[in-house]
Each structure stands twice: as C-alpha cells, then as structure tokens.
Amino acid sequence: MKTIDELLGEGVEGKRVFVRADLNVPLDGTTITDDGRIRAVVPTVKALADAGARVVVASHLGRPKGAPDPAFSLAPAAARLGELLGAEVAFATDTVGESARATVAGLADGRVAVIENLRFNAGETSKDDAERDAFAGELAALADLYVGDGFGAVHRKHASVYDLPGKLPHAAGYLITTEVGVLKKLTEDVRRPYAVVLGGAKVSDKLGVIDHLLEKADRILVGGGMAYTFLKAQGHEVGISLLQEDQIPAVKEYLKRAADKGVEFVLPVDVLVSTEFPDLKTKAPAHPTTVAADAIPADQEGLDIGPETRKLYASKLADAATVFWNGPMGVFEHPDYAEGTRAVAQALVDSPAFSVVGGGDSAAAVRILGFDENAFGHISTGGGASLEYLEGKKLPGLVALED
C-alpha cells in the first residue's frame, strides 16, 4: 500500500488529487456538534495543498436516498474544513455535475475544494457493479491522483471507496495509515493483559467482534443496551430494558466459550433504571434509581451501569496493558446517565495501557464529556470499520488501496 509520503515524494504540484475523506459529522440543523472526523483529515489535506496539489475532497454524510437532500449537505463541513485549514475552501453544489466540474477546473495550485455529498448520487452506494463503476468513472474525470483517507468508510464497497482507486494512481492518507497501524497493535503481538470494553445498543452489532476477540482478549467487559441480552441469557429479569431475544442462544454460546477458554466475561452488577427514557433535548432531570443487575423491576428500563459496576470495571482496566473500547455504557447524552461512560473513559485515562477508543458514539462521548483526546492512545474515526477489522474481515477500501 503506497503511502501519502511516497506520493508527495513523487511530486503532486499542479495535479488534481481526489481525497476520499470521512466528513460524516453529526449535525444539529447546520451546526456541527462534533468535528473530530474533519480534524482527522486535515493533516492529509494540508500536506497535499502545501505541496501545490489541487485538492478535491469528497465524502458522504448521513443516509440520503441517492438524491440531493439539503438536510445532508456537506456545506457546513466544507466551511469547518476551511476554518481548520485557515484558508478558503471552495464548495461544489453537486458531485459530478456542472458545479463540480467548474469548481475543480477553477482550483489554483495549493487550493482546496469540497464536492457535495457523494450519496446524493445513487451510483455511490449501488449494489450494481456497472452503476457503481460508471459513477466512479465520472469522479475519476475530476482528478489525476487518488488518496484514500476516509477510514470510517473503508468497510463499504462504495464507488468512491472501492471502485475509484482502481481508475487512478492511488495512495493511503495519514489517517488510514495511522488507523491501520493502531489496529495491528490490537491483533498482532498484543501487549497483555488485553481488555475489551463493549457497549452500545445492540448485541447483534458486536457478535462478530466478540467471536473473534474470544481468541485474543483476556477479559471482555460489557455495558450499554447490549448488556441486558447477556443478563437475560443468564436468566435474570431485565424489565423493559433493550433486549434482543433472538440473540440469546448466541450469547449463551459465547459465555460458555469464554468460560472454556479462560476469558473473563464481566457483566454489570448494578444498573440505573427508570420507567421512562430520558428527554435528550431538554435534559430534564430523570431521577433514576439504582438496583442490582439481577433485580431489575418488570416495569423499569436499564439506562446506565451503576456505581458498583463503575468501580468493578475500573479495577478490571487498571492493570491492563492494552484496551479496546467500543460503545457507551449508557445514555451518555443525558447527564443522569453519563457516569458509566465517564467512568470507563476515566479508567482509560488513569491506566498505563495503550488504549484505543473505537470510533462512533464512544469517540463522541469522550469529547462531549470533556476529556482530553491526547490522554488516550488513539481515538478512531471509524467504529464500524474498526469492528470489522477486528473481526478479521477484508475491508474493501483497504483492499482497493493495496498495490
């Protein structure tokens, strides 16, 4: 896999370089609530611009239905990229149409443009190889070189991620090379003890990575909505908590395999519960109560790990040499249910372990809860991509960048 440094060494001045970034940031209207993914691509974009390239940045945002939708415009992300670069960033109001062609044609050496949301074109995500290839061909006409740096999308077989690199000389940007280097530390020659913390809503989203990590991890700590399926599998009442009944047989199998292999599986011993889900807009006080994890009332919903579980999990992370964390411990967006997630983040900060925060909600939580990002070994920009890599899957976007 050629690196961006190798590409820069060959010379990029005056060349149009297509950078597939991940600008899929959360928006409140047109306000970006977490710009972490934009900041992550700045080193690649700046290096290319400083070397005199004409940089064309492209990304998806959200899940539009293959047609323009103002709610998913990349205009706010383009404006923020310009602020971070300290230079004007041109914005094309389409992907491969008149605006994109004119915007790219008007770029001077060392300047940057962002084209509109790639998913406004149905060819980007099409399952039809010919349709996807045709869109990739139109994108290729905008550039001379390709740099893949959208790690959060490399697990997608999409036109700009998988098909386009085959049409242009290509290289991996700084973000992708960093992310892959970090993930290798979690899969090859891992420093032990190796602890994994998994949270989030659905256990089904994590089954693949649990299956793979049972061969590698020393202990697995579970929180978030997915924990209640594990508790139910152990025969406990979980009230009206989030539950995936159809996953209980698989969860039972994993618990047995963990015991057979000597992998420590750690589940909550107490949880915060309420009869209703909190209001995340007003942040009105929720007044939760704390109950033992095996004594959740039938009319209550578990929404965060409790104080004893926070202490337990912190103790299980204190002596770890490597930690991977993906998924919050509760509804961290509400202050009454943020302490479980905060406790895990603080435990990683306090631990001497090489810690990786695996993207998505976990990365957002770290920033929203006010932690210094530099206190962690690495904060990934791609939750789904990280998980699939740890499952041992071949990621289309990485395969496409290989020579």
Side-chain angles (χ1 to χ4, degrees):
M1 186 183 294
K2 179 183 282 188
T3 67
I4 186 172
D5 283 333
E6 292 175 277
L7 190 70
L8 291 167
E10 294 169 358
V12 296
E13 185 175 0
K15 294 183 178 180
R16 301 169 301 162
V17 183
F18 188 102
V19 177
R20 202 330 180 161
D22 179 10
L23 308 181
N24 185 29
V25 292
L27 294 172
D28 183 1
T30 59
T31 301
I32 297 169
T33 58
D34 180 6
D35 68 354
R37 284 177 169 163
I38 303 175
R39 287 187 284 112
V41 79
V42 166
T44 290
V45 174
K46 189 176 187 306
L48 290 165
D50 287 349
R54 303 175 183 188
V55 188
V56 182
V57 181
S59 176
H60 70 287
L61 191 152
R63 297 178 182 272
K65 306 297 184 181
D69 183 338
F72 297 106
S73 175
L74 278 175
R80 180 59 180 148
L81 179 61
E83 292 172 358
L84 292 167
L85 290 170
E88 181 182 356
V89 168
F91 181 67
T93 56
D94 57 26
T95 56
V96 292
E98 182 178 341
S99 178
R101 291 192 297 270
T103 300
V104 174
L107 279 178
D109 293 359
R111 307 300 298 201
V112 179
V114 173
I115 62 174
E116 187 54 285
N117 192 334
L118 292 164
R119 291 186 183 175
F120 285 1
N121 188 305
E124 169 67 1
T125 59
S126 177
K127 300 261 195 281
D128 182 272
D129 291 348
E131 184 180 9
R132 212 175 52 245
D133 184 73
F135 181 50
E138 292 183 275
L139 291 172
L142 298 174
D144 306 303
L145 303 168
Y146 176 95
V147 172
D149 213 32
F151 181 74
V154 293
H155 59 314
R156 305 296 187 192
K157 194 176 181 180
H158 291 169
S160 66
V161 176
Y162 179 74
D163 302 270
L164 181 55
K167 299 181 181 299
L168 296 169
H170 52 265
Y174 291 124
L175 176 61
I176 279 186
T177 54
T178 297
E179 293 272 15
V180 171
V182 165
L183 288 170
K184 284 183 177 179
K185 291 183 180 181
L186 300 178
T187 54
E188 303 170 12
D189 299 321
V190 182
R191 291 169 53 211
R192 298 186 179 280
Y194 179 17
V196 176
V197 186
L198 297 175
K202 295 181 178 180
V203 67
S204 56
D205 293 340
K206 305 290 196 303
L207 287 180
V209 76
I210 292 172
D211 182 68
H212 204 67
L213 288 171
L214 282 173
E215 305 297 326
K216 297 184 179 296
D218 296 301
R219 62 186 70 128
I220 299 175
L221 288 60
V222 177
M226 62 182 284
Y228 303 102
T229 301
F230 280 89
L231 291 170
K232 185 73 170 180
Q234 290 185 326
H236 303 311
E237 171 64 57
V238 296
I240 57 172
S241 304
L242 191 62
L243 176 66
Q244 289 185 285
E245 291 265 10
D246 62 324
Q247 301 299 328
I248 288 177
V251 166
K252 285 182 176 179
E253 179 195 341
Y254 287 145
L255 289 171
K256 181 180 184 302
R257 276 180 56 197
D260 291 344
K261 289 180 173 295
V263 176
E264 189 178 6
F265 230 109
V266 190
L267 297 176
V269 294
D270 61 344
V271 296
L272 269 60
V273 298
S274 176
T275 56
E276 57 186 10
F277 198 83
D279 189 325
L280 300 183
K281 284 195 176 293
T282 66
K283 303 290 197 297
H287 305 298
T289 55
T290 301
V291 299
D294 60 358
I296 299 174
D299 64 343
Q300 304 274 316
E301 177 179 12
L303 296 164
D304 193 14
I305 58 174
E308 292 305 313
T309 304
R310 291 174 221 151
K311 294 176 189 175
L312 172 65
Y313 284 14
S315 71
K316 296 295 182 181
L317 297 172
D319 69 338
T322 304
V323 180
F324 174 70
W325 171 31
N326 182 283
M329 297 294 98
V331 188
F332 72 92
E333 300 91 341
H334 192 285
D336 288 347
Y337 300 107
E339 293 310 306
T341 301
R342 187 189 305 279
V344 167
Q346 187 63 54
L348 297 194
V349 170
D350 294 340
S351 169
F354 174 68
S355 57
V356 178
V357 181
D361 287 341
S362 308
V366 163
R367 289 187 276 267
I368 289 169
L369 296 176
F371 286 90
D372 179 358
E373 295 181 45
N374 294 320
F376 302 88
H378 179 70
I379 298 180
S380 178
T381 58
S386 296
L387 289 175
E388 291 198 16
Y389 189 99
L390 292 179
E391 287 177 38
K393 291 183 178 180
K394 291 286 188 182
L395 306 188
L398 297 184
V399 171
L401 290 175
E402 292 172 356
D403 296 329

